[in-house]
Amino acid sequence: MLETSHERRLRRGVRLWNLAARPNRGNRKVQSWQAPLWTLAAETLALRDGDAVADVGCGHGSALPALRDAVGETGRVVGVDLSPGMLAAAEGVIDEHGWENVEVRRADVCRDPLEAGAYDAVLASFVLAAVPDVGAAVDNLRDALRPGGRLFVGDMYFGPHLAARALRRIYRALTAGAAGDVVSALRARFATVEPVVNDRGQGGLPPPGRGWPPVAFVVATKA
Ligand SMILES: C[S@@+](CC[C@H](N)C(=O)[O-])C[C@H]1O[C@@H](n2cnc3c(N)ncnc32)[C@H](O)[C@@H]1O
């Protein structure tokens, strides 16, 4: 059977993420560098004891401890990823902690729906700009949230800056990323989309017209 362009892009992406998973596995330096981002995400998502939260594109599972801390023993954390290498690393994090309410599963965020309305919050960190169909992925995440549920997104956001445009070409050549930008896809599907900044004033959206640095941190709320 002929491979579709979606499948071809995903295959390229999975190859890259499997390679990237190797040095990350159990790498405490990477995990501690990311810790402030996970704290910011958990706070922005206003996670509470008993909440259900999905970490889409969970990678090697470095956000799982912060999410599990925030929802406690009575909550639920579901990590989703397409790369077997990344999933193996994330499973290692779960085994190490012995959590019973944290799981990871293999799925394509564009094509495999999560349980509809089952989540209070979703984290999508540096995944949506790397998928072939950002609109379908954002539809899926919106549908997975209960009304009033929140989605925290940190991602590449390529504006008009010359270097950002060059970087976009490279990023799309290496990952499964295709046309369409993440923030526009969110604005078309969520009641509100607001920039998120950390306590040092970093994050948010790049200044209009400049688009540098080429990253965005936003929280979207479902109507
Ligand atoms: C840059 S890593 C980000 C990992 C983690 N969220 C973080 O911020 O450290 C991107 C992750 O998204 C996953 N991914 C890429 N395309 C995906 C898809 N279509 N469905 C699910 N996961 C995907 C990759 O396997 C990889 O683990």
Side-chain angles (χ1 to χ4, degrees):
M1 214 166 56
L2 276 182
E3 195 180 41
T4 64
S5 132
H6 186 95
E7 289 161 349
R8 194 168 53 250
R9 282 176 181 278
L10 283 186
R11 192 162 45 79
R12 184 171 70 205
V14 167
R15 198 169 52 221
L16 172 77
W17 302 122
N18 278 340
L19 275 175
R22 288 192 205 161
N24 278 340
R25 200 173 290 194
N27 186 332
R28 304 277 169 217
K29 264 197 195 140
V30 174
Q31 287 164 14
S32 62
W33 169 76
Q34 290 183 309
L37 175 59
W38 309 141
T39 305
L40 179 67
E43 285 172 7
T44 307
L45 291 170
L47 292 176
R48 291 180 305 197
D49 261 11
D51 276 355
V53 59
D55 179 6
V56 173
C58 65
H60 47 101
S62 74
L64 297 178
L67 299 178
R68 170 59 168 74
D69 272 1
V71 303
E73 273 178 27
T74 57
R76 188 162 78 101
V77 182
V78 177
V80 174
D81 206 284
L82 197 57
S83 148
M86 288 291 188
L87 286 167
E91 270 159 9
V93 174
I94 297 173
D95 291 347
E96 191 183 311
H97 288 84
W99 296 313
E100 290 187 354
N101 57 343
V102 184
E103 61 170 289
V104 289
R105 29 175 115 138
R106 184 160 196 246
D108 169 13
V109 64
C110 308
R111 295 276 167 92
D112 305 318
L114 287 158
E115 309 95 295
Y119 294 90
D120 300 288
V122 174
L123 167 64
S125 171
F126 292 91
V127 57
L128 295 174
V131 303
D133 189 344
V134 64
V138 175
D139 279 342
N140 184 7
L141 303 189
R142 180 207 48 211
D143 293 349
L145 285 167
R146 62 159 172 79
R150 295 172 148 219
L151 166 63
F152 181 98
V153 174
D155 220 314
M156 304 306 292
Y157 182 58
F158 303 105
H161 193 283
L162 205 60
R165 279 170 28 210
L167 193 59
R168 176 175 57 196
R169 274 200 297 278
I170 296 168
Y171 197 74
R172 287 186 181 161
L174 289 174
T175 70
D181 92 81
V182 173
V183 175
S184 307
L186 293 169
R187 285 191 176 130
R189 291 164 177 84
F190 279 83
T192 61
V193 178
E194 290 161 295
V196 177
V197 290
N198 68 14
D199 54 10
R200 283 177 291 158
Q202 299 163 325
L205 285 162
R210 277 195 32 222
W212 194 266
V215 286
F217 292 90
V218 294
V219 60
T221 306
K222 181 169 167 172

